[in-house]
Amino acid sequence: MNLLARFARYATLVAAAGMTAGLSAQPIDIRHTAPDNTLVRTTADAHYLLLPVEDDAPDMRIDVLDGGAIVHTCYVRLARHAVDYTVPFDLTPYAGRELLFNVIGEEPLRPHQMEKFVCWKALRTADAFDTANREKYRPVYHHTPLYGWMNDPNGMFWKEGVWHLCFQYNPYGSKWQNMTWGHSVSRDLVHWTQEPSVLAPDGLGSVFSGSAAVDAANTAGFGAGAVVALFTSAGKSQVQSLAYSTDGGATFTRYAANPVIVTEHEARDPKIFWNGRLGKWNLILAHALDREMLIYSSPDLKNWRFESAFGRGYGCQKGVWECPDLFELPVRGTQEKKWVLLCDINPGGPFGGSATQYFIGDFDGHRFVCDAHPDETLWMDYGKDHYAAVTWSDAPDNRRTAIAWMSNREYADAVPTLQFRSANTLPRDLELFRLPDGAQHLAVKPAREAERLRRGKTTLPAAALTASPVVCPLPAEADGVCEIELALDFGRARKINLMLSNEAVERVCMTCDLPDPKKRTFAMYRRQSGATDFGLAFPATTVAPMPGAGNKCTLRLFLDRCPVEVFGANGEFAMTNLLFPASPYTSLTSSAEGGAACLEHLTVYPLGTAE
Ligand code: FRU
């Protein structure tokens, strides 16, 4: 193309960009300099440059240049054929400066292909970015990012009445990329506010999962009460880095001598905790491909000594090991305490894809010794959508509270949401319990703060459960978003069937299978629950053991716009599954097979977050 023609094309694009920019203070200059390279120049007068995204387009690399130096790099699925949504690039750190966005196609592009992308016409600057919650499947009370992709919970600590929840975050799109620590805070574990992100990729790579804790005794020298975070810098290799905050977790500064731990093979997701008995810090790190956990100790969070490894040949070994945690828990009804090691695995979960297994044993600050036979695998949640579970550091009242990412690697980036992807489970309080035969289990219960979400109550009177169904309407005023509590006496029934259904004749079938007390199970079947066609692996049946003595059980079901979490109400089991119905479920139908059971009570609480 000759120079004149090239200029003509450039001039048209400037005009087009100016037109669509609307309120844009500055024109956006766009030059297509090569088939795989476009330069976008603008002055940072507005708050944001809004980047148009097509969810399924390949990533383009964007180097942001200020005065010729690269000040930021991110990967964005710039819209080629249609704009699905926009993401904001924050211009405020560069206020008044002229920035050059060097957009690079890293896959081969045909001549002129890049200049035909629709994104160029839709690029604009703006002072506001709309995060109003309009998506059908956006949960009402589960934590979600305001926009963009989220996976693992990270860097969780409690300080001065505030629960901090960081998370693996892509601020530039609703699929995994640009791993950054997003940051949300809550005073009650159920109302969350997203704050500015705290850690963005740097020269060592993007910011993978990790943990944070309050350094009350100033062991690291950043000040008493500083918050110290350990995380994986994921670049060419995976190494462990440190950052600290002296403003209560609002901002973090990277430690100048990073990395603080290097390993030969891929290792990630460090979890730190103060070990009072040892008078030192401990850290547990996933040796991902070796399918084991590495344990370290340190006097000051900066110098780490390798202590031991646990896990080769233990539990489920069918996938990489990730996101560990290690903590002590009381055994219900005793004075005893045991240590629990959480280990996320992908793939290899009980119903395919990602899931959380755990081990119970003893830990002396140096070595974890598992009580169970290596072949035994225990799962923390028996749904398909529970991964990367970790617990808060420094929680008050000796609470051990966990939260997990509510999705599955098998289809997480294809679920039918757009401006955001993924939510977290409800926070869950943990303890241990023993069955009469001595078997040890983790009890998983929704945090008591979940009761603060209740907005009213309807109780059905006690009823016999037989083959003829008892139908309970779900609260239409809350779009079916509710908690359902059922107290069941199994009576002589062999099976109890529960079914959520809606006007679109979609249904979620659940069954308590009651052959004999040792083999009871709770199962959920979601093949007809609504949209399932976005992932072949999605329509699974999930089954949980229902350990417990006696002939009774209470269940709590938490329904939100897309997830359902079911708990044996003494924490006997948890099951978390995503559901994407065409319209909200409007009723719960209960019945029994093989003999009568009794529905001792069925209470429905509409749930909401408005104070
Ligand atoms: C688990 C995981 C972690 C890693 C992070 C990257 O979901 O793979 O091991 O740190 O996600 O986002």
Side-chain angles (χ1 to χ4, degrees):
M1 185 192 313
N2 69 34
L3 218 74
L4 222 95
R6 197 180 256 274
F7 177 77
R9 178 175 293 116
Y10 162 54
T12 324
L13 281 166
V14 171
M19 259 163 52
T20 44
L23 297 175
S24 168
Q26 290 293 321
I28 302 170
D29 295 353
I30 301 169
R31 291 170 193 250
H32 302 294
T33 49
D36 51 4
N37 193 197
T38 294
L39 298 175
V40 176
R41 191 182 293 276
T42 190
T43 302
D45 282 347
H47 274 71
Y48 304 112
L49 177 66
L50 300 183
L51 303 169
V53 175
E54 183 176 343
D55 208 39
D56 285 331
D59 272 314
M60 307 292 284
R61 175 185 169 134
I62 304 181
D63 287 338
V64 184
L65 278 65
D66 179 3
I70 298 179
V71 289
H72 192 85
T73 295
C74 55
Y75 293 82
V76 184
R77 295 170 180 271
L78 288 174
R80 297 180 174 211
H81 308 102
V83 180
D84 290 323
Y85 51 89
T86 59
V87 290
F89 180 87
D90 186 6
L91 296 171
T92 53
Y94 316 100
R97 318 251 328 149
E98 193 176 82
L99 295 181
L100 186 66
F101 292 75
N102 186 8
V103 184
I104 303 160
E106 292 193 326
E107 28 119 27
L109 288 162
R110 290 189 304 278
H112 310 313
Q113 189 185 346
M114 193 159 165
E115 63 188 80
K116 291 190 184 128
F117 288 2
V118 298
C119 61
W120 312 122
K121 283 195 182 161
L123 257 186
R124 60 190 176 91
T125 56
D127 282 330
F129 178 66
D130 183 3
T131 56
N133 175 355
R134 297 188 189 87
E135 279 197 55
K136 178 172 171 182
Y137 296 124
R138 183 86 172 243
V140 171
Y141 59 88
H142 287 88
H143 172 257
T144 59
L146 286 174
Y147 58 91
W149 162 274
M150 174 177 80
N151 55 293
D152 316 354
N154 293 156
M156 293 137 62
F157 66 96
W158 182 93
K159 194 172 195 274
E160 290 158 11
V162 180
W163 300 86
H164 292 258
L165 167 59
C166 296
F167 47 91
Q168 287 288 279
Y169 187 39
N170 180 8
Y172 303 115
S174 302
K175 296 197 186 214
W176 187 93
Q177 190 49 282
N178 303 307
M179 282 300 113
T180 297
W181 275 23
H183 180 210
S184 294
V185 292
S186 171
R187 290 198 164 266
D188 65 2
L189 285 171
V190 287
H191 294 83
W192 293 99
T193 309
Q194 190 167 336
E195 300 282 330
S197 296
V198 288
L199 286 168
D202 72 349
L204 275 178
S206 53
V207 191
F208 274 17
S209 290
S211 55
V214 178
D215 183 12
N218 193 20
T219 61
F222 301 124
V227 181
V228 178
L230 263 289
F231 57 90
T232 302
S233 294
K236 194 77 186 148
S237 53
Q238 297 187 351
V239 294
Q240 317 314 316
S241 294
L242 186 154
Y244 60 93
S245 168
T246 52
D247 57 8
T251 58
F252 279 80
T253 306
R254 278 178 160 90
Y255 176 48
N258 278 338
V260 293
I261 299 178
V262 295
T263 42
E264 269 181 19
H265 299 159
E266 236 173 70
R268 54 180 175 267
D269 314 337
K271 174 75 199 250
I272 50 170
F273 58 95
W274 176 252
N275 189 327
R277 263 173 250 160
L278 197 67
K280 281 187 183 167
W281 294 91
N282 275 128
L283 176 151
I284 180 162
L285 186 65
H287 211 192
L289 308 177
D290 298 67
R291 293 159 199 206
E292 62 179 2
M293 298 301 182
L294 308 178
I295 294 169
Y296 292 76
S297 66
S298 168
D300 59 5
L301 292 159
K302 298 170 182 163
N303 299 290
W304 291 96
R305 182 186 127 119
F306 173 71
E307 294 281 354
S308 63
F310 165 77
R312 287 215 188 193
Y314 271 84
C316 183
Q317 295 270 331
K318 290 185 198 154
V320 293
W321 280 25
E322 301 183 315
C323 303
D325 202 345
L326 182 57
F327 47 82
E328 203 176 21
L329 280 184
V331 182
R332 190 186 282 166
T334 72
Q335 296 299 313
E336 216 184 322
K337 288 185 170 180
K338 299 291 290 183
W339 284 79
V340 176
L341 192 157
L342 297 186
C343 165
D344 291 273
I345 179 163
N346 174 48
F351 313 105
S354 40
T356 309
Q357 61 178 331
Y358 66 93
F359 303 93
I360 301 173
D362 295 311
F363 177 61
D364 62 0
H366 307 283
R367 187 170 295 277
F368 176 79
V369 180
C370 181
D371 286 349
H373 189 272
D375 287 347
E376 192 181 326
T377 305
L378 295 167
W379 299 104
M380 185 174 174
D381 186 289
Y382 286 86
K384 250 200 106 138
D385 298 304
H386 178 280
Y387 195 57
V390 276
T391 65
W392 266 275
S393 306
D394 306 293
D397 312 322
N398 287 325
R399 274 176 87 168
R400 189 47 71 173
T401 308
I403 196 165
W405 174 53
M406 198 156 41
S407 199
N408 190 308
R409 287 284 185 194
E410 286 183 330
Y411 43 72
D413 64 356
V415 296
T417 65
L418 210 52
Q419 199 200 13
F420 82 101
R421 267 207 189 92
S422 299
N424 291 118
T425 62
L426 274 174
R428 298 159 175 206
D429 285 323
L430 308 179
E431 62 175 347
L432 291 170
F433 69 99
R434 275 207 193 105
L435 294 174
D437 65 1
Q440 311 186 104
H441 290 273
L442 191 59
V444 179
K445 288 178 156 188
R448 57 174 181 269
E449 286 84 350
E451 289 174 22
R452 301 177 65 150
L453 298 165
R454 293 175 178 170
R455 301 282 178 275
K457 169 177 174 172
T458 314
T459 303
L460 241 61
L465 272 192
T466 61
S468 43
V470 173
V471 181
C472 173
L474 301 180
E477 75 281 8
D479 272 351
V481 172
C482 64
E483 176 192 343
I484 306 169
E485 193 178 65
L486 297 119
L488 294 165
D489 183 329
F490 302 137
R492 303 182 72 82
R494 264 190 299 106
K495 260 188 192 177
I496 293 179
N497 298 315
L498 305 170
M499 186 176 77
L500 295 167
S501 57
N502 65 7
E503 281 150 9
V505 206
E506 293 163 337
R507 46 181 183 258
V508 183
C509 301
M510 292 166 276
T511 304
C512 301
D513 229 312
L514 310 163
D516 77 66
K518 283 200 177 143
K519 292 193 182 138
R520 285 178 197 151
T521 55
F522 177 89
M524 188 183 297
Y525 178 76
R526 65 176 175 185
R527 187 173 290 276
Q528 292 155 332
S529 59
T532 61
D533 56 354
F534 51 84
L536 279 179
F538 184 79
T541 302
T542 56
V543 186
M546 281 175 90
N551 212 28
K552 294 188 177 201
C553 129
T554 304
L555 297 175
R556 286 174 79 188
L557 279 70
F558 288 84
L559 270 173
D560 204 335
R561 289 195 203 278
C562 64
V564 61
E565 295 172 87
V566 184
F567 297 92
N570 285 321
E572 304 93 315
F573 74 91
M575 182 182 285
T576 305
N577 281 323
L578 293 175
L579 308 165
F580 297 98
S583 59
Y585 301 115
T586 47
S587 66
L588 175 75
T589 308
S590 318
S591 62
E593 287 177 38
C598 177
L599 187 55
E600 294 189 326
H601 80 248
L602 194 168
T603 304
V604 179
Y605 303 94
L607 299 183
T609 50
E611 296 287 359

